[in-house]
Amino acid sequence: MINIALPKGRLGDKVYALLASAGYSCSSYDSSGRKLVFSDQQSGVSYFWVKPADVAVYVERGAADVGVVGKDILEETAPDVYELADLGMGKCTMCVAAAADWYDDTSRPLRVATKFVNVAKNYYREIGRDIEVIKLNGSIELAPILGMSDVIVDIVETGTTLKENDLKVYASIFPISARLVANKAAFKFKNGQIKKLVDSLSEAKR
Amino acid sequence: MKQLKSEEELLTGLSALYGARGYRRFRPGCFEDYSLYLDNIDFLISKKVITFSGAGGRLLALRPDMTLSVIRHVDPAGGTQKLFYTDRVYRRPADGDEFREVDQAGVEVIGDIDAACEAEVLLLACDTLAAVADDYIVDLSHMGYIEGLMSALGLTGGDKEEAYCYLRAKNMHDFKKFAKTRGIGGEGVEAFGRILSIGGDCRAAAAEMRACSLNEDMRSAAEELSGLVDMLCALGCGSAVNINFSIANSADYYNGVIFNGYAGGVPRRVLSGGRYDKLLSKMGRAGGAIGFALYIGELERYFRPDANSVSTVILYDDQSAPEALERSRALTAEGRSVRIARSLPEGIRYNEVQDLRRHP
């Protein structure tokens, strides 16, 4: 039996569809209800729904053998897991955005509002810019509008929210997509099963 | 799953195992000069150290690691030394904020290290894991092989560090993008991918490792590792040994074979070790060194849970206290466990109650 942590939401449904087409379907699967665990003895698979940001935690701590998690979460939390495949889904970009008329006043630290504190710190450390991080949990775009921050570091999918709030992208930090990750110990003890899953997924993606 | 009575039982068993193989117990003092860790901070798993001022004003530390203490205290003129320890270290866990006191057991060999010595240490690592778990795996890698690969790909500095990250995460998809931006050719990318996938049957993996060698450094490391694999197979450990180049320690300290141990049911490595001649040299010592540590804190699920139970509870009052003590002594002499109390204790399990109170 292989335990798979799926991110609850639209991405999770898409990933499940890919896994099902790769031979890992689950007869009791249902993403609309409140049930969190689904198993199928015949396919030898057990799925559980978790919050997208928690997938890597479940995998790192061995509650799940493998899981699907966005590159944004992997960069932010740096879990000790194997990153076995890029599923090419849920594509977007980690960006620096600010008001359309913003210019960088380099005489003082840059105020950066973000959910991704480590990503922001690492990015600005690499380019040698002193920053003050403002950690927010949502509606990040509001921070520069209200003058609380100079820029934001956030995920941009289509850019519509930015445009509607008169913000624009100033830099792309890295591209994001869904990645298949595996627990390091499970990869040893269930090596054949996990390798087969990776191969089947790569076949199904074609 | 194997159930061990307690950490003490495990440590006693391991001490007997190491002692029987001719390893001498090493027990350093509780504190070390902080400079010992500051000078070798990258060697430490946990970079934070608990420090305090000693009686003479020197800055001291509660040790976060045993290997540095072993090297510092070993007599360089004493020939090859084989030592083991079971002791406590103080470090911050990767996923936690506060320091923890952690039991650790390990062996270190310092002096002339030959292939037989390396095989003996790896065999001890296998035997250590076998004392803990029914199923275990030792992943073997070689710093010379990985460094040779980086050199064959022309990677240095930050680029080398980035390539190490892809190797550690078995992340081929991002390495391909990285290789494109650094002008790494198709042959190099293909070799990286094959090396990253090496695993499974260790003899077949050793053959693949030799076939993937791109330069003399890699060839020589591959020969050394193949020899070790052959010895371990001959000793009956082949099925528990994997070659896996996704374990890569700091090249500033490690130079030869490196390894991690995994026990079934534990999501993280429980043992790690390797050849660390470079650390020895950094500390001004000649010769070679190899060793490993077992992280007892990771093995919690193997220890029998504290049942918090007794066979008999004896309830007493002022008048019956002497009788309660006498009965307790008699019952424990029969091998039973007893708790005496004035009233039924909360949160404890018991088989019977003997109430000696006159007015309960």
Side-chain angles (χ1 to χ4, degrees):
Chain A
M1 184 69 79
I2 189 160
N3 301 309
I4 304 177
L6 289 179
K8 203 161 174 50
R10 235 174 350 143
L11 176 64
D13 281 329
K14 278 170 81 177
V15 171
Y16 172 74
L18 178 67
L19 283 157
S21 69
Y24 294 89
S25 61
C26 180
S27 49
S28 58
Y29 176 84
D30 174 17
S31 63
S32 56
R34 287 172 182 270
K35 200 176 167 199
L36 298 173
V37 182
F38 307 92
S39 296
D40 192 313
Q41 290 294 334
Q42 207 169 358
S43 306
V45 68
S46 185
Y47 288 105
F48 32 91
W49 287 117
V50 298
K51 260 186 102 154
D54 292 338
V55 169
V57 178
Y58 280 82
V59 174
E60 187 178 24
R61 292 186 160 262
D65 301 316
V66 298
V68 173
V69 59
K71 186 68 176 172
D72 50 329
I73 308 290
L74 292 176
E75 289 288 332
E76 177 64 17
T77 59
D80 189 19
V81 294
Y82 289 136
E83 189 185 321
L84 300 178
D86 181 352
L87 300 183
M89 294 171 166
K91 285 188 174 176
C92 46
T93 313
M94 185 67 74
C95 291
V96 177
D101 60 353
W102 171 78
Y103 73 95
D104 190 2
D105 176 0
T106 52
S107 64
R108 60 183 181 81
L110 189 70
R111 294 170 306 159
V112 183
T114 186
K115 238 192 308 192
F116 301 94
V117 171
N118 295 324
V119 167
K121 282 183 181 167
N122 292 341
Y123 173 69
Y124 284 105
R125 189 183 306 121
E126 272 173 27
I127 61 172
R129 181 73 168 94
D130 189 20
I131 62 165
E132 179 192 330
V133 177
I134 303 163
K135 161 89 169 119
L136 294 176
N137 296 300
S139 303
I140 317 292
E141 296 84 359
L142 200 53
I145 294 171
L146 299 180
M148 187 167 80
S149 78
D150 300 309
V151 300
I152 62 171
V153 166
D154 204 12
I155 294 168
V156 177
E157 199 172 341
T158 59
T160 313
T161 315
L162 291 182
K163 213 175 277 174
E164 282 176 0
N165 289 291
D166 203 21
L167 302 174
K168 71 172 195 178
V169 171
Y170 282 85
S172 295
I173 303 180
F174 54 80
I176 297 167
S177 53
R179 309 296 168 99
L180 179 76
V181 296
N183 174 269
K184 287 194 167 179
F187 190 77
K188 327 279 165 213
F189 292 103
K190 296 185 177 179
N191 190 259
Q193 288 178 68
I194 294 177
K195 275 190 164 167
K196 187 171 164 237
L197 176 87
V198 175
D199 292 344
S200 307
L201 273 178
S202 117
E203 277 294 312
K205 262 170 59 190
R206 278 179 198 165
Chain B
M1 184 185 277
K2 198 174 245 183
Q3 282 269 294
L4 301 163
K5 267 192 204 145
S6 64
E7 290 184 19
E8 290 75 26
E9 184 196 61
L10 174 64
L11 293 176
T12 305
L14 291 178
S15 300
L17 169 70
Y18 304 146
R21 302 272 169 92
Y23 284 69
R24 199 159 50 87
R25 183 186 284 278
F26 172 77
R27 184 168 281 155
C30 292
F31 317 126
E32 292 282 1
D33 280 328
Y34 175 58
S35 60
L36 176 65
Y37 305 112
L38 189 62
D39 293 345
N40 300 288
I41 200 79
D42 288 335
F43 180 74
L44 303 177
I45 294 175
S46 160
K47 314 286 177 216
K48 301 279 182 188
V49 180
I50 300 175
T51 58
F52 58 97
S53 291
R58 281 185 315 164
L59 191 57
L60 299 179
L62 283 177
R63 43 163 197 273
D65 163 90
M66 288 296 292
T67 305
L68 291 167
S69 295
V70 173
I71 298 173
R72 171 176 267 192
H73 295 288
V74 155
D75 177 8
T80 299
Q81 313 229 8
K82 295 187 172 187
L83 303 163
F84 78 91
Y85 58 81
T86 57
D87 223 317
R88 290 209 163 134
V89 293
Y90 301 83
R91 55 172 68 137
R92 283 177 66 181
D95 53 0
D97 280 337
E98 205 39 89
F99 283 92
R100 288 213 188 121
E101 190 179 53
V102 190
D103 276 318
Q104 193 169 296
V107 307
E108 311 285 355
V109 186
I110 297 174
D112 288 329
I113 312 291
D114 59 10
C117 182
E118 285 186 346
E120 185 193 48
V121 169
L122 279 162
L123 188 62
L124 265 180
C126 289
D127 290 344
T128 299
L129 290 167
V132 171
D134 293 325
D135 52 342
Y136 65 89
I137 285 172
V138 175
D139 267 356
L140 285 181
S141 175
H142 196 294
M143 283 310 297
Y145 193 81
I146 301 170
E147 283 287 289
L149 171 65
M150 297 300 169
S151 144
L153 299 178
L155 296 171
T156 54
D159 284 350
K160 188 166 93 173
E161 282 310 308
E162 195 167 341
Y164 262 103
C165 290
Y166 297 128
L167 196 62
R168 284 194 192 103
K170 289 191 179 288
N171 180 348
M172 191 57 197
H173 43 276
D174 284 333
F175 177 77
K176 280 183 182 164
K177 291 178 203 158
F178 165 79
K180 208 174 261 180
T181 62
R182 301 301 188 277
I184 297 169
E187 192 195 351
V189 174
E190 194 203 327
F192 192 92
R194 282 174 67 187
I195 289 165
L196 186 140
S197 308
I198 287 176
D201 174 72
C202 61
R203 283 187 198 268
E208 173 72 351
M209 164 181 72
R210 286 194 299 272
C212 290
S213 301
L214 298 172
N215 55 26
E216 198 41 50
D217 286 347
M218 292 175 82
R219 271 187 283 278
S220 128
E223 281 311 314
E224 191 187 325
L225 206 47
S226 296
L228 262 178
V229 165
D230 286 343
M231 270 198 254
L232 290 169
C233 286
L235 291 162
C237 297
S239 60
V241 171
N242 280 349
I243 294 178
N244 177 6
F245 290 108
S246 74
I247 54 169
N249 293 343
S250 167
D252 291 339
Y253 299 98
Y254 291 92
N255 54 303
V257 60
I258 52 173
F259 49 95
N260 281 345
Y262 295 84
V266 182
R268 289 183 281 250
R269 65 178 183 176
V270 299
L271 178 149
S272 80
R275 184 91 189 243
Y276 55 90
D277 300 6
K278 285 187 181 174
L279 171 64
L280 210 62
S281 155
K282 266 184 85 125
M283 292 177 71
R285 301 288 179 92
I290 186 169
F292 67 78
L294 175 73
Y295 309 123
I296 312 274
E298 297 287 355
L299 301 171
E300 275 166 10
R301 67 182 68 190
Y302 282 101
F303 298 119
R304 197 170 295 159
D306 178 6
N308 194 25
S309 63
V310 289
S311 39
T312 306
V313 171
I314 301 175
L315 299 176
Y316 67 94
D317 54 18
D318 289 343
Q319 285 75 35
S320 56
E323 189 188 347
L325 288 164
E326 203 176 311
R327 272 204 206 186
S328 169
R329 190 190 235 178
L331 289 170
T332 49
E334 289 170 17
R336 291 163 74 179
S337 52
V338 180
R339 171 150 172 188
I340 64 164
R342 281 188 170 270
S343 59
L344 270 177
E346 297 280 334
I348 188 170
R349 279 177 280 186
Y350 47 85
N351 294 335
E352 62 156 349
V353 177
Q354 295 185 12
D355 194 348
L356 305 182
R357 295 173 298 181
R358 305 276 148 75
H359 307 289

